[in-house]
Amino acid sequence: MTRRPRSIIEPFKIKVVEPLPMRTVAEREQILARAGWNLFGVRATDVTFDFLTDSGTTAMSAAQWGAMMVADESYAGSRSFYRFEEVVQRLTGYHHVIPTHQGRAAEHLLFSLHCKAGELVPSNNHFDTTRANLEQLGVTAVDLVCAEGKDLRSEHPFKGDVDVVRLESFLTEHRGKVPFVMTTITNNAGGGQPVSLANLRAVSAVCRRFRVPFLLDACRFAENAWFIKVREAEHRERSARDIAREMFDLADGCLVSAKKDGLVNIGGFIALRDGAWVPDLRSRLILTEGFPTYGGLAARDLEAMAIGLDEVLDEAYLAYREAMTRYLADGLMRVGVPTMRPPGGHAVYVDAHELLPQIPAAQYPAQALAVELYRAEGIRSCEIGSVMFGKRPDGTFVPAQMELVRLAIPRRVYTQAHFDYVLEGIAEIAERRATLRGLAIVEEPAFLRHFTARFAPL
Ligand code: F0G
């Protein structure tokens, strides 16, 4: 007898719990006024559902907590380092493993040693910290994502793919000025969309032909491998681990923030196939992060990473992770809230421009929606629109290309019942969307204004 398809469930039982903070609408209105209607200014103890980021917000497993207790905190040659190193080597096939305290430390370390002012680094889309770490060195960060990746409605299964034709002409035009090519898996700045194995193979072949190293920004490598398994027909029978290994085989190294698919609250690493860059990286690591066998982390963090990097490739976990994101995205679509399609791996992006056509870009529709999600439902999200991108260096306003609200989903933290409750709340907001109004900025810093700007409702 064949079994009927069943629901995809959380593939874990819960051992440690933390109460959900609950506030009334009236309390949240006061909190918002004090925070200048900026959700970065709200305390986490006043947030019921925190979808600000999936980074470092993971619930660790009993095995991870257990391993932390037996970690070896020796300054040099810690047993925990060798355990971590072995896991990364087995996962990636890269021999050289350099721990850092998080992803941006890995970026800063590698870029400051191996890029020069005037050079250019292409990627599908650079994440903010990657871009900023390149730009502060005078390096130009160039986005070469495929055309479908810029279309919110396209159902293309791999909207994180690099436009390989443009990459080739780019490398021809800038020959000698590209220290390496990058690809972000999954493409966070482009909506958490995956990159196909076919595309990684093509990018790898182009890089070999031009003799340019190819590096992965691989913090969501397991989610990307899972999407290849379920969306790229010829790989359906392969394991996520086997697919992940081929992704790493196609590149020369990777930069990883383990705060995502490492299933930890802090940690990161650089791993490289070739040893040529390693002595410089290790010397600089000692200067800025710590000795090469701990790299800015406690050994207990290395233990937690070693286990997380294995646990994340459990296919019951990956199936559940994808199902949860899809559940939220499809639920929003059912209540008339438009989102970026198809759902990505770690987050759902709501199209506030389409949801709130009455609010012009200069009155920040995505911020207005983010504020209302918090005011009415205690949900914290992140504006990715004209607050974040609408100001030129000369201070003038230009509307962002898109007005998005990102709901990033912490790993193993919220249950399906939580998402049902969130969807019921958002459905009510969607019903009264015509009554929502925009905001004005009343105070802002010179740079990165989204973190500290203060607003006033209009
Ligand atoms: N690369 C990507 C693709 C990222 O998403 C992030 C962080 C980093 C690098 C930097 O890693 O935070 O450990 O220094 N993304 C988080 C987010 C902050 O919310 O998307 P980090």
Side-chain angles (χ1 to χ4, degrees):
M1 227 175 59
T2 54
R3 282 165 65 88
R4 271 176 285 156
R6 300 281 289 274
S7 300
I8 295 171
I9 56 171
E10 289 87 0
F12 46 80
K13 51 185 180 173
I14 296 166
K15 192 174 201 125
V16 177
V17 298
E18 193 182 324
L20 277 184
M22 299 286 187
R23 299 283 176 267
T24 63
V25 173
E27 284 169 338
R28 284 194 294 259
E29 284 173 349
Q30 287 180 356
I31 291 163
L32 277 169
R34 275 202 302 276
W37 284 269
N38 186 332
L39 299 173
F40 284 100
V42 173
R43 291 184 184 202
T45 43
D46 294 325
V47 176
T48 306
F49 300 102
D50 206 342
F51 300 139
L52 187 61
T53 179
D54 66 318
S55 179
T57 51
T58 300
M60 291 209 298
S61 66
Q64 286 176 298
W65 285 111
M68 288 175 83
M69 270 318 282
V70 296
D72 169 9
E73 300 293 348
S74 304
Y75 189 96
S78 154
R79 165 173 42 78
S80 303
F81 171 74
Y82 294 108
R83 178 178 189 192
F84 163 72
E85 180 185 53
E86 192 268 323
V87 167
V88 175
Q89 287 171 336
R90 181 159 45 80
L91 169 69
T92 62
Y94 303 145
H95 182 68
H96 305 279
V97 180
I98 297 167
T100 59
H101 80 272
Q102 65 182 86
R104 67 198 71 180
E107 291 159 10
H108 182 72
L109 185 66
L110 191 132
F111 298 167
S112 60
L113 286 168
H114 295 288
C115 303
K116 291 192 295 289
E119 291 184 329
L120 305 97
V121 174
S123 187
N124 40 1
N125 287 114
H126 287 276
F127 180 66
D128 319 18
T129 57
T130 325
R131 174 178 303 282
N133 269 307
L134 288 167
E135 288 177 350
Q136 61 97 22
L137 294 164
V139 178
T140 309
V142 183
D143 291 337
L144 297 180
V145 74
C146 63
E148 292 85 353
K150 296 177 213 159
D151 174 0
L152 278 180
R153 298 288 170 271
S154 163
E155 289 280 351
H156 189 282
F158 291 104
K159 288 163 74 171
D161 280 0
V162 174
D163 183 335
V164 180
V165 175
R166 278 177 65 208
L167 177 65
E168 279 199 74
S169 54
F170 183 86
L171 290 175
T172 308
E173 187 185 340
H174 300 287
R175 207 180 271 272
K177 288 176 72 182
V178 179
F180 45 81
V181 170
M182 293 187 72
T183 297
T184 316
I185 53 173
T186 57
N187 191 25
N188 185 9
Q193 299 290 329
V195 181
S196 65
L197 205 49
N199 191 252
L200 289 171
R201 287 175 180 170
V203 171
S204 174
V206 170
C207 290
R208 283 198 185 140
R209 196 142 39 77
F210 283 84
R211 296 180 189 283
V212 177
F214 175 30
L215 300 178
L216 296 173
D217 178 348
C219 35
R220 298 180 182 85
F221 71 93
E223 288 171 8
N224 201 87
W226 179 256
F227 278 122
I228 288 172
K229 181 178 166 77
V230 296
R231 291 186 186 174
E232 205 170 349
E234 60 179 296
H235 304 298
R236 198 148 295 160
E237 301 306 319
R238 297 175 67 182
S239 68
R241 178 179 293 281
D242 182 45
I243 294 168
R245 179 52 188 266
E246 185 179 338
M247 296 178 339
F248 289 114
D249 281 346
L250 290 165
D252 300 293
C254 61
L255 303 169
V256 175
S257 164
K259 298 172 73 172
K260 288 79 170 173
D261 279 350
L263 301 181
V264 288
N265 307 119
I266 195 73
F269 60 90
I270 300 171
L272 298 167
R273 187 185 311 291
D274 186 88
W277 290 355
V278 173
D280 280 357
L281 288 171
R282 291 227 162 104
S283 309
R284 183 66 66 85
L285 186 79
I286 291 175
L287 198 64
T288 57
E289 290 277 290
F291 193 73
T293 59
Y294 70 86
L297 291 163
R300 52 182 173 269
D301 301 320
L302 296 172
E303 291 280 351
M305 268 201 288
I307 292 180
L309 290 168
D310 266 339
E311 281 183 352
V312 76
L313 285 165
D314 170 14
E315 299 197 354
Y317 162 77
L318 286 168
Y320 138 80
R321 176 77 177 152
E322 184 216 347
M324 208 79 255
T325 312
R326 186 160 20 92
Y327 188 80
L328 180 60
D330 291 352
L332 288 170
M333 199 156 75
R334 268 197 306 280
V335 300
V337 174
T339 62
M340 176 185 265
R341 301 296 305 170
H346 67 292
V348 172
Y349 295 70
V350 176
D351 184 349
H353 170 72
E354 186 171 322
L355 185 73
L356 305 173
Q358 74 276 20
I359 305 180
Q363 296 174 12
Y364 309 112
Q367 181 69 12
L369 178 60
V371 164
E372 181 62 8
L373 289 173
Y374 177 70
R375 189 193 69 83
E377 299 298 330
I379 299 166
R380 177 152 64 177
S381 56
C382 184
E383 193 262 11
I384 305 183
S386 291
V387 176
M388 199 180 269
F389 297 123
K391 193 183 163 194
R392 288 216 187 98
D394 66 7
T396 54
F397 177 81
V398 261
Q401 273 177 6
M402 296 185 231
E403 301 293 344
L404 301 177
V405 172
R406 182 179 85 163
L407 300 165
I409 306 176
R411 291 170 181 76
R412 308 191 288 204
V413 169
Y414 297 110
T415 66
Q416 186 174 340
H418 290 137
F419 285 102
D420 286 334
Y421 184 89
V422 160
L423 284 167
E424 288 161 13
I426 298 181
E428 286 180 22
I429 296 174
E431 279 169 23
R432 54 185 153 76
R433 61 183 170 218
T435 65
L436 267 59
R437 296 285 167 268
L439 300 137
I441 292 184
V442 293
E443 218 180 286
E444 60 179 312
F447 303 103
L448 296 173
R449 65 176 178 174
H450 53 286
F451 291 119
T452 54
R454 294 181 71 85
F455 300 83
L458 294 169

